[in-house]
Amino acid sequence: MQLGRKTLTAVVTGTLGVTLLAGAAATSWAAPAKTPAPAAAHPGARGVPDPTTATLRQLARHTKLEIGTAIDTAALRNDATYREIAAREFSSVTPENVMKWYATEPQRGQFDFTEAEQLMAFAAANRQKVRGHVLVWHSQLPAWLTEGTWTRAELRSILRQHILTVAGHFRGRIWAWDVVNEAFNDDGTLRDTIWLRTIGPSYIADAFRWAHQADPKAILFYNDYNVEGINAKSNAVYALLRQLKREGVPVEGFGAQGHLATQYGFPRDVLENLRRFGRLGLATAITEADVRIVLPVDNAERWAQAAGYSLMLESCLLERSCISYTVWGFTDRYQWVPGVFPEEGEAAIYDVNYNPKPARDAMARDLALAPHSGRRG
Ligand code: XIL
């Protein structure tokens, strides 16, 4: 365990080559001279499966970290290879879209859980935890909601009813909920949304209270992007969550989405940032990891991408509050980036033909090198 933790620390601090060489030397000196190891996979000195053949979820088992992916339910229905890899590689899943407001309450008071239940059935069949996503957000709202004119009391009641109904419907089956998503601007001020404008900042605390009332066992997360490292935005989220905890509001987790781009470089203080949220008594998670690249892509960029995935995964593995690491789609075949960032793409860990990329192998390596942990469950 001690060796594992040291090894991983060294990787994070950037002495990867040295660490791997040192590890290899130790292994070969320790091995009996005349009996070469059999080719078949065996647990090995670290007690983990062979990282060149094992799946991510097998490699993650000893770390107690859940390795997840966002799931596109259309792909789940239509693509057998997609289903096979989603089941094989991941111990947790997040619906990419089908638990969002436009999908679950398309008309006022009329709820539809058909697609969300397909995701739930897949997860149950494959013994995967489910991260519910998302109860309160400013985006992907139905037209009846955004185009209506509401008093404060009306909108507050609509929000309350939505949270109680959706979280109540899945009560006991959701491992963690993203309760409030993207409530801050990058400068640390609260984002101007329908919720803030009409209800005021109290909508955040109320959302957590209602979610807790509807599903007391789910771990309730605040989730945002550009909060992986320490900056004005993550400072503001930190201040809010600390305040909410003091007031006894049932906020239980901090999720950093983890949408990185090779062209901007990566924050170097992800571990330190997760750690300060962990010290508040919160669970932490990387909830939507992907690393987009300016097209066309070359191998150096693919390696940079692998470093981005790895930086976040290693940080999560080293911080015991970090309970899950989720990629936002595992294949470039169905990836949201090209639709939103026109010049960029190829952000996932498998390519369009389901070949694993260096990023997927970096994740396997990180998991194999990780210490057996006392991670909170
Ligand atoms: C994205 C989905 O991946 C797309 O399919 C959809 O068109 C838009 O939303 N932050 C979030 C996610 O919290 O819900 C977003 O998902 C990506 C950014």
Side-chain angles (χ1 to χ4, degrees), residues 70 72 94-97 100 102 133-134 137 139-140 178 181-182 223-225 257 259 287-288 290 328-329 334-337 339-341:
D72 173 337
T94 307
E96 186 168 352
N97 287 301
K100 291 173 180 173
Y102 80 94
H133 178 81
V134 51
W137 194 26
S139 188
Q140 293 182 281
D178 289 332
N181 196 30
E182 303 182 355
N223 193 51
D224 216 324
Y225 64 88
Q257 293 183 2
H259 296 293
T287 56
E288 306 182 13
D290 57 14
W328 203 243
Y334 312 105
Q335 232 276 340
W336 72 297
V337 163
V340 180
F341 304 93

Side-chain angles (χ1 to χ4, degrees), residues 75 97 122 146 206 231 239 285 309 335 343 355:
N97 287 301
F122 181 82
T146 52
D206 280 340
N231 56 37
Y309 274 99
Q335 232 276 340
E343 311 291 313
N355 298 306

